[in-house]
Amino acid sequence: MPVNFLTTPIDYLSGVGPSRADLLRKELGIQTYGDLANFFPNRYVDRTQFHKINQLVPETAQVQIVGKLLSIGTAGAGKASRLVATLADDTGRMELVWFKGQKYFRENLKVNEVYVVYGKVSKYGAMYSIAHPDVELLKDFRGRPSNAMTPIYPSTETLTKRQLTNKYFVRLMRQLFSEIKSAFVETLPEDLMRDQQLITKNVAMQEIHFPTSSTALQAALKRLKFEELFFIQMELLLQNRIRKTQIKGYVLETVGDHFNNFYNFNLPFELTGAQKRVVKEIRADMVTGAHMNRLLQGDVGSGKTIVAVLTCLLAIDNGFQACIMAPTEILAQQHMAGVSELLAPTGLKVALLTGSVKTKARRVIHESLEDGSLDILIGTHALIEDKVKFLNLGVAIVDEQHRFGVAQRAKLWKKNKLPPHVLVMTATPIPRTLAMSLYGDLDISVIDELPPGRKEIKTVHRYDKNRLGVFSFIKDEIKKGRQVYIVYPLIQESETLDYKDLMDGYESIVREFPMPEYQVSIVHGQMKPADKDYEMQRFVEHKTQIMVATTVIEVGVNVPNASVMIIESAERFGLSQLHQLRGRVGRGADQSFCILMTSHKLSAEAKTRLETMVETTDGFKIAEVDLKLRGPGDIMGTRQSGVMELRIADIVRDNELLAVARNAAINFLQEDPSIGLEKNATVRRVMSHLQAKKGLWKYIS
Ligand code: ADP
Ligand code: MG
């Protein structure tokens, strides 16, 4: 059976001894022949072009040079120790340098031989050099079947150190494919392949490792990416179907007095159209008898809190309790303040549970939770401690869930007979098509409309040398009665340095804005929570006009009178962070401003970020640019979801193919909901294999 071939342990492959087999397992998770075959190159280089040494310019990216090795020797000592070789062609000389694997290269490179070297050049003084080049004897290079498209396999530091070079992998693949031949079983049905114009699995696997032409390579990439995305979509769609049809949730049918009275008499404002729509969507979920798992996306300030409150009231009207979890203590407190104020006329019982609630008060909360007299519990991580038991939790609302792990969220589920309905709220918007593809097992609601009367925040970019102008602008705004945030970056790796920047900044602000005319607050991560709260509170109560802070104020803080946001070293913040920070202002009736301060030296990417911020305040547009710049790695929850562990496709770059694959999966399941048709046997086999691990297959078959 060819399939078994692919399960052969990697140790049996010629060229893989026990120690290398170990490395492959540990570093790359490659256990079997099949795993190795599925270890794909992450790029290809065109090795048909050559450079001459005297043609090199500092900006040249990757170069390929044929030259004779004139000498080789060690230079420097200790940490600076390196192996340096001189390479010459008929136009000049250059250096090759190794910091790692020196012993290997010293022993294996031969002086006076002609090599093909390939790598990234840099210039030191008058001399060009390549650090850690690919080197290959010219005669070996010529002996290769095709140099048109050399695959480059992903590597790790350990692999490089242990000489498992790209050349080694190329050789290993050649060995592997000479043994397994066409061992791959087709995974896609014929009609689907025909419709999508896809080549077969076997051809694709060959071409991905040994491309015969760039067209053939493109076809192979398309085939393998489609396959990967198609099966992920199939899984998501099936999970969604299972959740809706098989996993029971509480039926919260009644819209009773609490909801109606509040809605009719206590709403502090008219809901926006988007808020109304979202409440309807949530309400519709709750009566189906299925389990709600809904993501609520809404830009900063779009009014998610009121939606959360109305959702809680629906649960309470049906005899259930509700909880709201927030990622930080400050945020939990703000929710507590906001929700209590909203619900004050209703007589409902709301409590706050955070790490700093004292034992005695905590015990009271625990009791009232268990006897059902408490209606809504608001808090931080403290909510999911084992001691916290609800009498009957009907709905759990999670704010800014990217700070909560998926596992932590699951803890809430254990407290009930049935899982509570879950509403996850986030102000980190991601493009809708992407969201649907990523979270196919979640339903999505969007608040895409800001409450009326908001003025667009004016955003500008200023350089450090414009600081005086910025200060006088701040003074003018303070004269008008406004308050100002000044935010400094705090990045883990350089915490001490950042801390120093913050303190230096604070001192210069205090000098520029002296007491008693001005009062300045400061909040940063190294302060005790109580001190932080005290300073925060002074700002909230308008006892201070300026708040100097690190990004601790990023999420949720609500001071409507603050109308100026100054972001220092703005080039060091990510786009979504900048957007979140800007969202701290523009909450009141006054015109608000955001000033992005940077030095003159900006990378192209930083420029794009700043330009985007100046151009738009639309969170979805910003998210789209962010996604393009950063890739999808940091999108909330995606790391944990496992969805993003893609071998070959890239959610961002292959966005169009993703949509195609999703539609194909939808059509497929429409035609064959139970995956039972004879012609779809291949898909059934792959799916049962994928889902066996998750125990979901029993629902389908
Ligand atoms: P976020 O979505 O960022 O959590 P909030 O729920 O904190 O937003 O709402 C931001 C501000 O807008 C609050 O002061 C809130 O009272 C106000 N707000 C929310 N919805 C409306 C509305 N429909 N009309 C007027 N103001 C609203
Ligand atoms: Mg909020």
Side-chain angles (χ1 to χ4, degrees):
M1 267 291 282
V3 189
N4 288 339
F5 224 145
L6 294 177
T7 61
T8 311
I10 197 70
D11 312 57
Y12 291 92
L13 189 63
S14 135
V16 182
S19 83
R20 282 180 168 171
D22 231 37
L23 262 182
L24 290 176
R25 270 190 292 266
K26 282 209 190 96
E27 287 292 304
L28 301 169
I30 295 175
Q31 314 258 4
T32 63
Y33 279 26
D35 293 340
L36 183 61
N38 280 300
F39 181 56
F40 297 133
N42 54 7
R43 61 194 175 91
Y44 299 81
V45 297
D46 182 355
R47 298 286 295 260
T48 57
Q49 304 295 318
F50 290 92
H51 295 80
K52 290 288 185 192
I53 292 175
N54 73 349
Q55 292 170 345
L56 297 179
V57 286
E59 292 80 40
T60 326
Q62 308 283 339
V63 300
Q64 176 162 259
I65 291 163
V66 181
K68 192 192 257 182
L69 202 69
L70 295 186
S71 67
I72 186 159
T74 308
K79 274 207 159 154
S81 146
R82 59 202 185 271
L83 188 68
V84 180
T86 308
L87 187 84
D89 67 7
D90 51 3
T91 71
R93 290 179 180 203
M94 68 180 301
E95 284 183 347
L96 310 177
V97 183
W98 290 267
F99 298 93
K100 290 172 192 153
Q102 294 187 32
K103 183 164 174 288
Y104 173 86
F105 289 103
R106 193 168 41 238
E107 285 167 6
N108 286 278
L109 292 177
K110 298 187 193 77
V111 171
N112 285 329
E113 287 280 359
V114 178
Y115 286 94
V116 178
V117 308
Y118 178 86
K120 193 172 171 347
V121 284
S122 16
K123 191 173 189 193
Y124 293 101
M127 188 66 107
Y128 280 95
S129 76
I130 304 180
H132 294 269
D134 275 0
V135 284
E136 190 172 8
L137 282 169
L138 180 62
K139 59 178 193 290
D140 291 348
F141 182 85
R142 290 212 170 120
R144 289 217 243 127
S146 163
N147 292 315
M149 221 76 67
T150 303
I152 306 292
Y153 291 92
S155 189
T156 67
E157 204 170 307
T158 313
L159 289 176
T160 316
K161 224 183 261 166
R162 304 272 298 265
Q163 276 82 54
L164 267 65
T165 57
N166 196 57
K167 244 170 25 192
Y168 172 77
F169 279 104
V170 171
R171 225 179 326 121
L172 211 55
M173 288 299 176
R174 220 172 277 144
Q175 180 62 30
L176 176 75
F177 277 76
S178 77
E179 287 188 29
I180 61 177
K181 307 250 159 35
S182 302
F184 304 97
V185 178
E186 188 50 67
T187 58
L188 297 173
E190 262 171 44
D191 53 348
L192 184 59
M193 288 183 21
R194 200 175 337 105
D195 290 350
Q196 301 291 340
Q197 299 183 307
L198 300 172
I199 62 173
T200 65
K201 175 96 177 177
N202 270 307
V203 174
M205 290 299 283
Q206 272 284 330
E207 288 288 342
I208 198 86
H209 292 291
F210 317 105
T212 53
S213 72
S214 124
T215 328
L217 175 61
Q218 291 316 316
L221 284 169
K222 179 180 167 196
R223 147 77 213 211
L224 294 172
K225 287 176 177 179
F226 180 90
E227 174 182 351
E228 181 168 53
L229 296 170
F230 175 77
F231 283 109
I232 288 172
Q233 292 307 316
M234 287 287 287
E235 276 196 282
L236 288 172
L237 291 168
L238 286 172
Q239 270 169 30
N240 198 8
R241 192 169 86 194
I242 289 163
R243 181 167 57 76
K244 290 213 167 123
T245 57
Q246 318 264 357
I247 298 180
K248 297 256 177 306
Y250 295 118
V251 180
L252 307 182
E253 230 163 8
T254 313
V255 179
D257 287 347
H258 291 302
F259 187 95
N260 284 331
N261 284 338
F262 181 78
Y263 197 90
N264 294 326
F265 307 117
N266 302 129
L267 268 187
F269 37 68
E270 168 98 7
L271 293 189
T272 62
Q275 284 169 324
K276 283 183 192 159
R277 188 187 65 235
V278 168
V279 172
K280 274 196 198 122
E281 286 166 354
I282 292 167
R283 154 104 181 106
D285 276 358
M286 290 183 158
V287 298
T288 59
H291 171 236
M292 174 171 86
N293 194 18
R294 190 169 277 281
L295 179 71
L296 172 55
Q297 294 193 333
D299 214 339
V300 204
S302 63
K304 295 184 291 294
T305 312
I306 194 77
V307 173
V309 167
L310 289 167
T311 305
C312 291
L313 292 177
L314 280 174
I316 295 166
D317 269 341
N318 288 272
F320 286 90
Q321 293 164 306
C323 72
I324 302 176
M325 291 204 289
T328 65
E329 180 127 10
I330 292 183
L331 244 181
Q333 279 167 4
Q334 286 212 344
H335 272 310
M336 180 64 191
V339 173
S340 317
E341 193 186 322
L342 282 169
L343 294 182
T346 67
L348 289 170
K349 267 191 74 185
V350 186
L352 176 71
L353 184 62
T354 67
S356 52
V357 171
K358 299 275 178 334
T359 320
K360 215 167 128 197
R362 195 176 279 256
R363 203 173 307 133
V364 175
I365 291 177
H366 286 176
E367 277 165 17
S368 61
L369 260 190
E370 289 180 47
D371 67 21
S373 59
L374 187 64
D375 299 297
I376 300 176
L377 183 62
I378 296 175
T380 53
H381 287 74
L383 286 196
I384 54 176
E385 280 168 15
D386 289 331
K387 275 175 279 178
V388 183
K389 293 195 190 74
F390 292 83
L391 176 68
N392 51 10
L393 180 62
V395 61
I397 295 166
V398 185
D399 199 8
E400 299 299 340
Q401 77 112 35
H402 54 295
R403 310 249 170 138
F404 275 109
V406 167
Q408 288 167 311
R409 237 186 323 142
K411 274 190 147 187
L412 271 173
W413 291 39
K414 296 206 183 98
K415 303 186 189 302
N416 280 45
K417 284 174 249 88
L418 292 179
H421 296 297
V422 175
L423 180 69
V424 173
M425 305 197 295
T426 178
T428 313
I430 54 176
R432 197 177 169 86
T433 48
L434 181 59
M436 302 223 300
S437 308
L438 278 181
Y439 309 108
D441 61 333
L442 238 73
D443 293 309
I444 298 176
S445 290
V446 183
I447 304 185
D448 49 8
E449 180 187 354
L450 291 179
R454 294 272 170 86
K455 290 203 181 79
E456 179 123 331
I457 301 166
K458 287 197 179 131
T459 304
V460 293
H461 172 200
R462 292 284 179 269
Y463 293 102
D464 289 337
K465 65 166 201 246
N466 309 123
R467 194 168 291 281
L468 285 181
V470 173
F471 281 157
S472 84
F473 174 75
I474 294 177
K475 284 181 181 153
D476 289 347
E477 287 300 303
I478 290 178
K479 259 194 213 106
K480 290 187 209 154
R482 303 289 108 75
Q483 287 166 280
V484 180
Y485 292 106
I486 303 178
V487 177
Y488 287 80
L490 193 108
I491 317 277
Q492 292 295 315
E493 298 94 75
S494 57
E495 206 164 332
T496 0
L497 260 183
D498 282 342
Y499 183 67
K500 189 178 172 303
D501 284 352
L502 171 77
M503 285 331 237
D504 289 351
Y506 174 67
E507 273 161 29
S508 75
I509 295 294
V510 172
R511 261 197 313 275
E512 190 69 30
F513 298 87
M515 297 210 279
E517 190 181 356
Y518 299 100
Q519 304 287 332
V520 184
S521 288
I522 180 165
V523 170
H524 58 80
Q526 302 191 355
M527 286 163 70
K528 290 201 194 88
D531 297 341
K532 251 192 263 184
D533 288 347
Y534 173 77
E535 286 288 297
M536 217 41 239
Q537 209 48 43
R538 290 204 317 142
F539 189 66
V540 171
E541 289 164 10
H542 203 164
K543 290 184 179 142
T544 64
Q545 299 95 357
I546 299 177
M547 161 65 78
V548 175
T550 53
T551 43
V552 291
I553 62 154
E554 186 183 335
V555 194
V557 175
N558 191 19
V559 182
N561 190 52
S563 64
V564 181
M565 167 62 67
I566 315 271
I567 305 178
E568 293 285 347
S569 304
E571 70 270 30
R572 292 180 53 200
F573 289 91
L575 252 182
S576 68
Q577 227 180 352
L578 290 172
H579 180 62
Q580 291 285 326
L581 284 170
R582 180 169 59 184
R584 296 308 105 214
V585 297
R587 308 192 142 226
D590 311 303
Q591 175 63 54
S592 289
F593 302 89
C594 174
I595 302 177
L596 307 166
M597 303 291 300
T598 72
S599 67
H600 260 286
K601 269 209 219 135
L602 294 175
S603 69
E605 205 193 298
K607 273 197 196 116
T608 309
R609 286 199 298 264
L610 296 163
E611 279 161 15
T612 307
M613 286 295 293
V614 171
E615 235 160 65
T616 182
T617 51
D618 179 337
F620 283 89
K621 272 196 200 128
I622 288 171
E624 227 151 298
V625 176
D626 196 28
L627 204 59
K628 285 204 185 100
L629 290 177
R630 279 192 318 170
D634 285 345
I635 296 175
M636 51 163 243
T638 52
R639 272 176 217 246
Q640 299 104 310
S641 75
V643 170
M644 302 306 291
E645 283 165 31
L646 296 173
R647 272 180 188 291
I648 188 159
D650 177 308
I651 292 274
V652 180
R653 261 180 291 144
D654 301 319
N655 200 272
E656 277 166 39
L657 193 61
L658 175 68
V660 172
R662 181 172 174 83
N663 283 332
I666 291 170
N667 291 338
F668 181 99
L669 285 174
Q670 232 151 38
E671 186 193 82
D672 187 7
S674 61
I675 319 182
L677 296 181
E678 179 59 33
K679 73 178 175 92
N680 293 333
T682 54
V683 174
R684 188 178 177 81
R685 192 175 41 71
V686 176
M687 289 309 294
S688 71
H689 179 74
L690 286 176
Q691 306 244 313
K693 294 174 226 146
K694 299 182 183 166
L696 294 173
W697 185 243
K698 62 175 187 287
Y699 290 111
I700 295 155
S701 42

